[in-house]
Amino acid sequence: QVQLVESGGGLVQPGGSLRLSCAASGFSLDYYNIGWFRQAPGKEREGVSCISRYDGGTYYADPVKGRFTISRDKVNNTMYLQMNSLKTEDTAVYYCAADQFGLVTSMECRDLHRHWGQGTQVTVSS
């Protein structure tokens, strides 16, 4: 069965850390552009961080640069998002996504539509 299964969300205080995981089954992440997106209440879904299938290059949205790190574990066919120095404005539902097409450069990440995780809630609050 082709799917992405996320884990690792939760409640954390400002300044804290979380690591999100996204395990893929039924296909290999090696051949896909992959990434993390988030959607806060009342806002549109936005790209957070992505990895290009072609050269492994990464994209980070400006609000998360220097705080979040995306990675991929080829052995376990899993992607991760390490989130440090979390802020209240990082509160959102986080989704992982994978697509053989789409666009990932250092400046943007878009059109990753093929596979989506179910979403995991991240709440940053004191």
Side-chain angles (χ1 to χ4, degrees), residues 71-125:
S71 61
R72 175 173 54 197
D73 182 339
K74 295 186 176 183
V75 172
N76 293 310
N77 204 27
T78 299
M79 70 174 92
Y80 302 97
L81 185 67
Q82 177 67 42
M83 305 185 294
N84 298 328
S85 302
L86 282 161
K87 304 176 180 180
T88 55
E89 51 263 43
D90 294 318
T91 295
V93 178
Y94 284 72
Y95 301 88
C96 57
D99 199 309
Q100 289 183 299
F101 302 102
L103 178 66
V104 178
T105 70
S106 62
M107 298 298 293
E108 64 180 322
C109 172
R110 58 181 173 85
D111 298 333
L112 272 59
H113 300 307
R114 186 69 178 90
H115 303 298
W116 285 94
Q118 79 282 8
T120 186
Q121 177 70 45
V122 172
T123 302
V124 185
S125 175

Side-chain angles (χ1 to χ4, degrees), residues 9-23:
L11 173 65
V12 64
Q13 292 185 341
S17 298
L18 283 175
R19 188 177 79 155
L20 305 182
S21 300
C22 175

Side-chain angles (χ1 to χ4, degrees), residues 33-37 46-52 55 57-62 65 101-112:
N33 291 315
I34 60 176
W36 292 92
F37 296 74
E46 62 176 354
V48 175
S49 183
C50 301
I51 297 177
S52 168
D55 59 4
T58 55
Y59 163 82
Y60 291 95
D62 286 342
K65 283 181 179 177
F101 302 102
L103 178 66
V104 178
T105 70
S106 62
M107 298 298 293
E108 64 180 322
C109 172
R110 58 181 173 85
D111 298 333
L112 272 59

